[in-house]
Amino acid sequence: MNKKPIFYTLVAAILILIFLMIKSSFNQPGVEDMKAGFKEVLKYRNANNTGPVQRIYVVTVKDSIWKELEDYGNLMPHTKYGNTKVYFFMEHTNIPQSLQPGEVNFDPQFNSSCIALYEKSAMSQVAFNKHPF
């Protein structure tokens, strides 16, 4: 019995499997593949590297595709025991010009323009709210 053809077939199958795994790892969907047209306008990250990290983002969108807004939030960086907030605004609307840490992150005059808020808490609990204000 000749074992060489079986060996080469097995090696070829393993190489094909490795190729497919590498290819799929480089072809993961990202923000560029989404249709909502995301544009990060403002971001804030506190300078405290020893305590909870607070990240706040203001993002404009061309379309309010709710599932994509939530997916975008899931792609944003998050630190264990930190907090990440993403405020979504429609493109060409009144948006904040500055951000600050705490419960209120921008001037309340912009609340009516905010179409959604994604928040991941310190315990990695996710909340996605349409029209949060």
Side-chain angles (χ1 to χ4, degrees):
M1 177 182 261
N2 192 354
K3 294 184 179 183
K4 283 187 179 183
I6 295 172
F7 173 76
Y8 290 129
T9 304
L10 185 60
V11 169
I14 291 171
L15 289 175
I16 290 171
L17 184 62
I18 290 171
F19 170 77
L20 292 174
M21 290 170 51
I22 291 171
K23 181 182 173 194
S24 70
S25 68
F26 284 110
N27 290 331
Q28 295 295 317
V31 175
E32 308 83 33
D33 300 316
M34 297 179 180
K35 296 176 182 148
F38 297 97
K39 182 179 178 190
E40 187 178 300
V41 179
L42 282 173
K43 67 180 170 180
Y44 169 86
R45 184 198 185 278
N46 63 336
N48 186 359
N49 287 326
T50 59
V53 174
Q54 186 173 19
R55 290 183 171 90
I56 307 165
Y57 299 89
V58 170
V59 176
T60 60
V61 295
K62 295 178 183 178
D63 194 1
S64 60
I65 303 171
W66 302 116
K67 176 68 174 128
E68 284 195 0
L69 271 60
E70 188 171 1
D71 290 345
Y72 182 89
N74 287 327
L75 292 173
M76 298 305 281
H78 180 72
T79 306
K80 187 176 181 180
Y81 304 119
N83 186 291
T84 300
K85 291 182 184 177
V86 183
Y87 294 96
F88 295 98
F89 294 81
M90 291 303 292
E91 193 175 63
H92 307 300
T93 59
N94 201 14
I95 61 171
Q97 301 303 310
S98 63
L99 296 170
Q100 64 266 354
E103 291 298 315
V104 178
N105 302 123
F106 51 82
D107 190 327
Q109 73 175 346
F110 301 104
N111 287 357
S112 62
S113 299
C114 182
I115 62 165
L117 168 62
Y118 173 94
E119 184 171 6
K120 187 179 270 191
S121 72
M123 298 309 290
S124 295
Q125 294 177 327
V126 172
F128 179 72
N129 297 308
K130 301 172 189 173
H131 308 289
F133 301 105

